[in-house]
Amino acid sequence: MKLPDLSAYDAAGVRDWGGDVDTVKTAAGAANLAFHSVDAAHADSKSALLAALAKGLKLPEHFGNNWDALADCLEDGDWLGSHGVAIVIRHAASYRKAHATDWETLSDILSEAAEYWRERHKPFWVFVH
């Protein structure tokens, strides 16, 4: 599985990824993007998933642990950095299967953030592993 060019903001978005996480991390560094890894292995509820996202994405302490707060944080230029971001959500399969509605909400929020940053010419990549 080959990664797209991570510096290409117009192609950025949410993608399934079966490859190695280090490949994404290396490519993010080469594209001068911030890199975050979220471990969803122990996420068995919406609150646990939000906690995993807060930790992995290094969201600010004032993060409100709800979908609206997540959407707000992802569209914050201070959080994103000056060049864009690549995010890997690891061990997502069991949560995705057990909590399909919440996963769809998360996917929508991530896709909307990618579109928001695309309009501002900054790559926002999410790879679901």
Side-chain angles (χ1 to χ4, degrees):
M1 178 173 260
K2 184 176 177 181
L3 274 178
D5 176 4
L6 297 190
S7 65
Y9 67 86
D10 56 334
V14 181
R15 308 275 170 87
D16 286 331
W17 176 249
D20 186 59
V21 173
D22 285 336
T23 301
V24 178
K25 183 176 183 177
T26 300
N32 204 20
L33 303 180
F35 174 79
H36 296 283
S37 179
V38 175
D39 186 356
H42 301 292
D44 57 2
S45 65
K46 177 182 167 184
S47 62
L49 178 63
L50 287 167
L53 288 163
K55 180 179 179 182
L57 299 176
K58 298 179 175 91
L59 297 177
E61 292 207 15
H62 66 269
F63 171 61
N65 291 308
N66 60 62
W67 295 132
D68 290 335
L70 178 63
D72 290 346
C73 286
L74 295 179
E75 293 181 4
D76 180 353
D78 291 336
W79 173 81
L80 183 78
S82 57
H83 299 287
V85 67
I87 299 165
V88 174
I89 302 176
R90 299 177 292 121
H91 308 114
S94 63
Y95 189 91
R96 195 176 193 174
K97 184 177 180 182
H99 305 278
T101 302
D102 282 345
W103 187 263
E104 186 174 331
T105 300
L106 175 61
S107 293
D108 288 346
I109 290 168
L110 295 170
S111 294
E112 287 171 13
E115 178 64 29
Y116 176 87
W117 290 112
R118 189 177 307 117
E119 292 170 358
R120 287 151 181 82
H121 306 281
K122 290 187 178 183
F124 183 96
W125 293 96
V126 180
F127 295 95
V128 180
H129 187 262

